[in-house]
Amino acid sequence: DGTFLEKPLTFLLLLQNYDPSTWQGFLGVSWTLVLEVQFYVALPVVAFLVGRSTLRLSLVGAASFLFVLALAMQRWDVDPRLVTSTFPAMFWAFVPGMLLALRPDDDRRFARSRCLFAGIALVIVGTFSPWASVDVPSALGSFFIVGWTVARRPDLGRLAPLAAAGAAVTYSMYLWHVD
């Protein structure tokens, strides 16, 4: 795909989500990387606005989700997935992780096995979602799985290097799976 060569600055500045001619072009799955970088750029502002208030963070996340739903329901001259793949429309998807980061260290609510199984079930349901912009089941499922993992802090022992290698391989595969 020659899209990168045609508009290298668009990709180097991580702006491909805002241009119909570059979105889903070169390295199509990079649309998620654009969101991640923009999230980390916006994070200090978000932290300043919500502080450690889970209620304020939840309200901002809910507003972001309502925004993405409103965008998804509009008629667009371009693929609506393009419009809903922008920041702040996808901010809501970062909120579950932020809520986990705000939980007290001694919070054991996620340590129960049913939390893990509910998370797995929700991720399975989420695989049927038409697009990540509205995939609430996967976001909630990931919330429960990561919450369970953090609460349980499993000791992988000698398996830790293997788990780390597996994570690196699966992320690399994710980046190139379409190609």
Side-chain angles (χ1 to χ4, degrees):
D1 184 317
T3 312
F4 179 82
L5 297 175
E6 294 167 14
K7 297 184 177 183
L9 277 181
T10 301
F11 288 95
L12 294 172
L13 296 174
L14 299 169
L15 297 173
Q16 63 265 36
N17 289 14
Y18 301 93
D19 182 346
S21 70
T22 56
W23 182 71
Q24 297 295 303
F26 169 75
L27 196 57
V29 295
S30 68
W31 71 271
T32 61
L33 299 176
V34 171
L35 292 175
E36 290 171 32
V37 168
Q38 292 171 352
F39 165 73
Y40 286 114
V41 168
L43 188 56
V45 175
V46 172
F48 176 76
L49 293 174
V50 302
R52 295 193 54 83
S53 170
T54 56
L55 176 62
R56 280 191 297 240
L57 179 58
S58 298
L59 291 173
V60 172
S64 171
F65 187 72
L66 292 174
F67 179 59
V68 79
L69 284 181
L71 288 174
M73 290 190 244
Q74 300 298 314
R75 279 195 101 71
W76 299 98
D77 294 335
V78 295
D79 187 335
R81 295 177 304 168
L82 166 89
V83 178
T84 60
S85 298
T86 57
F87 195 84
M90 284 297 296
F91 174 77
W92 72 270
F94 293 94
V95 170
M98 294 171 69
L99 288 170
L100 284 174
L102 289 175
R103 74 179 221 345
D105 287 339
D106 60 351
D107 185 352
R108 303 286 299 157
R109 286 179 289 177
F110 289 97
R112 297 181 193 106
S113 296
R114 65 179 168 209
C115 222
L116 174 64
F117 295 124
I120 292 169
L122 285 165
V123 168
I124 290 169
V125 169
T127 62
F128 298 101
S129 179
W131 185 243
S133 304
V134 293
D135 186 3
V136 174
S138 290
L140 290 176
S142 298
F143 174 72
F144 287 122
I145 292 169
V146 172
W148 178 84
T149 304
V150 169
R152 298 289 298 260
R153 300 190 201 290
D155 181 13
L156 298 177
R158 287 193 240 169
L159 293 177
L162 182 62
V169 168
T170 57
Y171 192 67
S172 300
M173 289 172 60
Y174 164 73
L175 289 177
W176 293 100
H177 77 277
V178 175
D179 297 326

